[in-house]
Amino acid sequence: MLGQDLCKQLEGEVGDDKSDVEESRSDLEDVDQVNWLQSLMFLIKGNMGLACLAMPATFQFGGIVFSTVALATMPLFSMICFNMITISSNTFNSLYMNKKLDYGELGQVGIKLAHPRFTHWSRTFKTAINASLTVAQLGTCSAYFLFIGGTMGNVLAKYDIHLESRVTTLLAFFPLIIMGLFRKARFVSQLSGIVNIIYFTCLALVYYQILQDPGNIRPHDVPKIGSVQGNFLMLGNAIYCIEGVGIVIPIKNKTKNQKHFHIVLMVGMTFIFFIFMTMGFLGYSVYRSDTKPSVTFNMPDTKVYESVQYIFAATVLVSYSVQIYPVALVFLPNFEKCCSGIRNQDLREYLLRLILTLIAMVMAIVIPQLNYFLDIIGGIASAMLSLIAPPIIFDCYLVFKKTSKNILMASRILCLVIIAFGFICG
């Protein structure tokens, strides 16, 4: 155990970036806690946005065999990394009287505790994590703008109102900013539970259409392995599709009983990856070269499936409030310092969320070929968050706990394998 003086010193160092106002928020935030079922709804909604609908197109990049193997391997490494983060979080939080450290702070604290010689690099590591989190989450939010804007354009086209894609993206700002201003974890988790039921009902209709003619499922008629470029695009796209990696720590921090959070994580992520795998494999096997960026675009032009598209767009709106949450937490302390003239704390947070949503909208409008940009840049950021940073933090945890050399060496070999896989994916 650390001495009391060292704990205070570390708390002071980590707290340099925290605003004084944040302390007064803690009592209110403790009230806004969620139970394990609400955490599970949060986790599923955070991951089951556009990612699932894009899985057949992801398989098209890498070929049916390569994509299947890669997507089967990725959950294994991801689940190990998610558990590394939660285990390390439990220990490091306990050093600060159960103060709930965010992802970047976990990295900073880990290096300071385990490797005092590299203390000067701890702030850099925290910045790298926060930058990756910002890029990944804002990239996801900008993709939501394109999807919602495209859906709104399709609706208007039904009434002979034809607008440019940039205009529809601007129109998407209004429903998305409304969802982006919902910040109470309990309310969003309850809303996520309702929306998850609607989402999976629509997903069942998509599966029904794909499986309607079993003879049409012909995986042997599609490429087994894609080109070198296609394989890397598949890996980058797949790792970026794990949208919820940035929300794992915030969800854990909002959960009342964190003792069994790893069970919630295992159940939720196993279910999510099963849906990803089956949707990608079956969708690509059925639609083959006609596979569209979203599987909903392959659905028949009927009233039922037209409604399914619109309902999916509505459910994605709720996902937006989950995706904007972790990046708002990153910027909130410094933003409150800059806007100390605004006395109302809630108003400061609403203003921050408005600015972040405007940035996501500008990204969606200005960046050409946003999907390829997200595959490359977003893939790098997501690899950092889900496959590179967790092993480093966990190694710091093992060193701090004075783990035996044999266990430490075995863990480091596993960590190096995961980090190497992360660099390949990124």
Side-chain angles (χ1 to χ4, degrees):
M1 293 292 292
L2 284 178
Q4 202 172 29
D5 294 338
L6 181 56
C7 282
K8 288 181 179 178
Q9 180 185 358
L10 284 167
E11 186 168 358
E13 290 174 346
V14 174
D16 287 343
D17 294 333
K18 297 284 185 184
S19 68
D20 296 333
V21 184
E22 194 175 29
E23 295 299 326
S24 63
R25 284 180 176 272
S26 58
D27 293 338
L28 293 174
E29 289 181 349
D30 287 340
V31 176
D32 186 31
Q33 297 288 294
V34 296
N35 58 37
W36 67 268
L37 182 59
Q38 291 169 327
S39 296
L40 184 61
M41 294 299 102
F42 240 140
L43 189 66
I44 292 175
K45 194 76 218 82
N47 283 275
M48 297 292 291
L50 299 178
C52 180
L53 306 180
M55 272 300 123
T58 300
F59 269 63
Q60 190 177 28
F61 282 128
I64 196 75
V65 173
F66 179 83
S67 299
T68 301
V69 173
L71 205 59
T73 305
M74 204 168 289
L76 175 63
F77 286 152
S78 295
M79 290 301 299
I80 292 173
C81 288
F82 286 166
N83 279 288
M84 285 178 173
I85 284 294
T86 54
I87 291 170
S88 304
S89 173
N90 290 336
T91 296
F92 294 153
N93 283 342
S94 67
L95 301 177
Y96 297 90
M97 299 177 67
N98 290 319
K99 180 180 179 182
K100 296 166 183 176
L101 302 174
D102 62 31
Y103 200 167
E105 289 168 346
L106 286 175
Q108 183 182 18
V109 168
I111 290 180
K112 284 184 175 182
L113 290 176
H115 305 289
R117 292 177 301 168
F118 302 110
T119 295
H120 58 287
W121 288 104
S122 63
R123 182 68 65 86
T124 303
F125 187 42
K126 175 184 176 181
T127 302
I129 292 175
N130 287 340
S132 298
L133 182 63
T134 301
V135 170
Q137 297 304 123
L138 284 182
T140 299
C141 292
S142 62
Y144 283 19
F145 267 94
L146 292 181
F147 184 76
I148 299 296
T151 304
M152 293 175 71
N154 292 338
V155 173
L156 293 173
K158 299 288 184 182
Y159 299 95
D160 291 327
I161 302 174
H162 302 281
L163 300 175
E164 291 185 4
S165 59
R166 293 185 179 183
V167 177
T168 56
T169 302
L170 283 170
L171 292 176
F173 173 80
F174 298 101
L176 285 171
I177 188 56
I178 291 173
M179 293 308 305
L181 294 178
F182 288 137
R183 59 188 186 85
K184 292 297 182 183
R186 184 175 299 176
F187 173 77
V188 175
S189 65
Q190 291 169 349
L191 187 60
S192 295
I194 297 170
V195 171
N196 280 339
I197 295 172
I198 300 171
Y199 183 94
F200 285 109
T201 301
C202 293
L203 207 61
L205 291 173
V206 173
Y207 273 109
Y208 173 77
Q209 179 62 34
I210 291 174
L211 299 172
Q212 200 168 24
D213 183 6
N216 201 31
I217 303 174
R218 300 199 299 271
H220 51 277
D221 288 348
V222 296
K224 303 297 182 291
I225 300 176
S227 63
V228 174
Q229 181 183 7
N231 290 339
F232 279 107
L233 276 174
M234 182 271 156
L235 290 172
N237 196 37
I239 194 67
Y240 188 60
C241 281
I242 308 174
E243 299 174 346
V245 63
I247 65 174
V248 169
I249 293 299
I251 291 175
K252 178 179 179 293
N253 287 342
K254 283 291 184 181
T255 305
K256 285 180 184 177
N257 185 2
Q258 299 183 9
K259 184 177 180 181
H260 303 298
F261 181 77
H262 65 283
I263 299 176
V264 173
L265 194 61
M266 291 286 287
V267 171
M269 295 310 297
T270 300
F271 174 74
I272 289 164
F273 278 113
F274 173 77
I275 296 294
F276 280 6
M277 177 71 78
T278 55
M279 179 60 73
F281 184 89
L282 294 173
Y284 184 42
S285 298
V286 169
Y287 299 114
R288 299 181 283 281
S289 60
D290 293 328
T291 300
K292 300 291 192 301
S294 173
V295 71
T296 55
F297 298 152
N298 286 110
M299 295 295 103
D301 189 16
T302 64
K303 292 293 183 182
V304 172
Y305 285 98
E306 186 179 316
S307 300
V308 165
Q309 276 196 46
Y310 301 150
I311 294 172
F312 269 130
T315 61
V316 164
L317 283 173
V318 178
S319 296
Y320 185 83
S321 61
V322 179
Q323 296 300 333
I324 202 73
Y325 182 70
V327 71
L329 288 181
V330 169
F331 287 101
L332 187 58
N334 287 329
F335 187 79
E336 288 189 323
K337 284 182 181 179
C338 295
C339 299
S340 57
I342 303 175
R343 294 185 178 182
N344 190 300
Q345 297 177 10
D346 294 337
L347 182 59
R348 287 199 294 262
E349 185 170 351
Y350 287 137
L351 182 58
L352 173 62
R353 287 168 176 261
L354 175 63
I355 292 172
L356 292 173
T357 301
L358 284 170
I359 293 172
M361 182 184 69
V362 171
M363 287 175 60
I365 293 174
V366 172
I367 299 175
Q369 298 294 324
L370 181 67
N371 57 331
Y372 290 109
F373 173 83
L374 294 180
D375 287 344
I376 298 170
I377 304 301
I380 294 172
S382 295
M384 172 67 181
L385 292 172
S386 58
L387 296 172
I388 297 175
I392 296 174
I393 294 173
F394 188 67
D395 182 76
C396 293
Y397 159 79
L398 292 178
V399 172
F400 172 71
K401 297 291 284 185
K402 295 182 171 54
T403 308
S404 67
K405 290 184 178 180
N406 291 337
I407 295 177
L408 186 61
M409 181 61 67
S411 173
R412 284 180 171 173
I413 292 173
L414 175 62
C415 288
L416 286 173
V417 171
I418 295 174
I419 291 173
F421 184 71
F423 274 112
I424 293 172
C425 291

